[in-house]
Amino acid sequence: MADALVYRAEGEAVLHGGDLYGFTVTEWHLPATYPPFAALLFTPAAWLPVPALKAAFLVGNALLLACLVRLSARLAGRPLRLPALCTATALALWLEPVFQTLLFGQINLAVTCLVLWDLTRPPGAPGKGIALGIAAGIKLTPALFVACLLLRGRHREAATATTAFAGTLLLGALALPAASADFWTRRLYETDRVGKAWIVDNQSLKGLAARTLGDPAPGAAWLLPALAVAAAGVWLAARAAEERHGVLLAAFTALLVSPVSWSHHWVWCVPLIAVLLAEGHSRTAALTALLFTARTMWSVPHEGDLDLRLPWWQQPLAAPYPLVGCALLVGSALFGRQRDRGLFGRQRDRGFFGRQRVRVVEDPQHEVPVRQSALPPAQPSASSSSASTIR
């Protein structure tokens, strides 16, 4: 659990006044990469012996996975009973991003649960946006959701999230002024500190571009497409007819455009699979689950600099997750405004097992019951109503 050891070292640096961004730990010489606010949250890890810390991360991440499965079902509009929740959690352990998160002792599940819990709360819920702002203060990429909230007319929640994020910055600056100045003026821009962007571990657009071009520093060859994808992704998320689609589009856009998105960052595959199943995309959901379980990026040569010398036919194997993210954006661009269709354009008139979902209602104007679709009626689009929101 290499990352858990980094978090422990960050907590020790806070408690003992050490240089937060001047140390490395483990045989891979891993440094601290998160904002100072995150280091403050890691201080309890410094109080635990390493074996106890590893056990705590293992149990904690298993419980967080169950929480993520439950929140994913809530996002999809399909609450789970306890037996189904346990089964889905056990199956989700086989997804590569989830397994790697447990293996490394990462905090991806915690951050994702914070974001998804906040976004799936009812509009107007007290404090809605605070958890999102805290998540952005721990790991900056969730800040992209705030832009989507603004564009969907959820100004109050966006303001709350921004205020919470600013609070994390202020707290970090007050508690660790030197580390805060160091991070926000220097370390934030040293993306190489996080790791080599061209290795197969990195499933962002930058990693894809570096390996495709055989260039460890692709520069504008990835930056310009990343800016275009960021703009398109935020626009698509803001105008998505279904709010759950907007959440997924924002999440996958953030993963795509981040300079480094390690494979274990892609735990958003769990809510993606849940939404696909809920909308009747059983085959697409199964294919997506297979792709996130297959670990194809580890099957290609990746010792030394072999990641930069892959033949053309191995490039898709080395970059399965960004290809899924791009497919999601393309599918939304083609079909996202059609409320009777799901993420990839297939008709949403059937349930999990292909049966049409209908219910019988009494119509006072008729003498016999009327069969009515169980699907929700069409709602005004985000462009015509400020009531649209990302939950």
Side-chain angles (χ1 to χ4, degrees):
M1 293 187 176
D3 289 317
L5 298 180
V6 176
Y7 306 148
R8 186 175 188 269
E10 291 185 46
E12 289 179 337
V14 172
L15 293 175
H16 302 130
D19 184 356
L20 182 57
Y21 299 106
F23 70 80
T24 59
V25 294
T26 77
E27 60 185 286
W28 298 283
H29 306 289
L30 301 175
T33 58
Y34 294 160
F37 172 71
L40 296 175
L41 301 180
F42 296 147
T43 51
W47 302 331
L48 296 176
V50 171
L53 177 69
K54 291 182 177 180
F57 264 87
L58 183 61
V59 173
N61 271 327
L63 293 175
L64 284 168
L65 176 58
C67 180
L68 178 58
V69 170
R70 182 177 181 181
L71 289 171
S72 299
R74 186 164 82 175
L75 176 71
R78 294 291 185 90
L80 294 178
R81 295 183 180 273
L82 184 60
L85 175 63
C86 293
T87 301
T89 301
L91 291 174
L93 283 170
W94 293 96
L95 298 169
E96 190 269 349
V98 173
F99 181 83
Q100 294 287 81
T101 291
L102 271 69
L103 180 65
F104 290 130
Q106 255 284 343
I107 60 169
N108 305 305
L109 292 170
V111 173
T112 304
C113 284
L114 273 176
V115 174
L116 200 53
W117 174 78
D118 208 351
L119 294 178
T120 54
R121 298 175 70 201
K128 183 174 170 65
I130 293 178
L132 175 58
I134 292 174
I138 298 171
K139 211 167 188 177
L140 300 176
T141 48
L144 186 136
F145 287 96
V146 179
C148 296
L149 287 172
L150 280 172
L151 292 176
R152 290 187 75 93
R154 308 303 298 183
H155 299 142
R156 180 177 178 180
E157 283 131 25
T160 302
T162 302
T163 302
F165 175 64
T168 68
L169 303 187
L170 179 60
L171 184 58
L174 292 175
L176 302 167
S180 293
D182 188 19
F183 179 83
W184 295 108
T185 62
R186 179 185 172 193
R187 304 298 185 176
L188 175 62
Y189 312 101
E190 296 176 350
T191 55
D192 289 342
R193 281 175 53 83
V194 182
K196 298 173 182 176
W198 46 268
I199 59 179
V200 294
D201 309 51
N202 184 18
Q203 292 290 297
S204 71
L205 287 177
K206 185 175 184 180
L208 171 62
R211 292 187 294 272
T212 302
L213 300 174
D215 184 355
W222 88 269
L223 183 57
L224 295 179
L227 291 174
V229 168
V234 170
W235 180 70
L236 289 170
R239 70 190 292 272
E242 298 285 351
E243 293 168 10
R244 57 192 173 204
H245 297 172
V247 171
L248 291 173
L249 289 166
F252 279 80
T253 298
L255 290 167
L256 286 170
V257 303
S258 175
V260 174
S261 291
W262 301 131
S263 68
H264 52 74
H265 291 171
W266 290 75
V267 292
W268 279 95
C269 64
V270 176
L272 172 61
I273 293 170
V275 169
L276 288 172
L277 283 172
E279 294 184 344
H281 296 289
S282 300
R283 293 180 181 177
T284 306
L287 181 61
T288 302
L290 177 62
L291 189 147
F292 278 99
T293 307
R295 296 162 168 79
T296 58
M297 74 284 288
W298 309 120
S299 68
V300 301
H302 56 275
E303 297 80 11
D305 64 348
L306 292 180
D307 312 60
L308 294 172
R309 293 185 277 137
L310 297 174
W312 66 267
W313 61 272
Q314 288 183 339
Q315 293 293 342
L317 298 176
Y321 302 169
L323 294 180
V324 169
C326 291
L328 187 65
L329 296 184
V330 171
S332 176
L334 294 177
F335 306 107
R337 298 300 292 172
Q338 301 181 34
R339 282 186 170 269
D340 61 335
R341 294 179 181 268
L343 278 171
F344 294 99
R346 178 182 166 188
Q347 285 289 129
R348 291 193 299 110
D349 59 350
R350 298 186 180 273
F352 278 103
F353 302 102
R355 296 178 180 177
Q356 187 175 10
R357 292 173 288 159
V358 298
R359 60 186 174 93
V360 178
V361 298
E362 295 290 341
D363 188 339
Q365 297 181 356
H366 296 76
E367 295 181 356
V368 296
V370 178
R371 292 176 62 83
Q372 187 178 82
S373 171
L375 293 174
Q379 301 293 327
S381 67
S383 60
S384 63
S385 172
S386 62
S388 296
T389 179
I390 296 179
R391 293 180 185 169

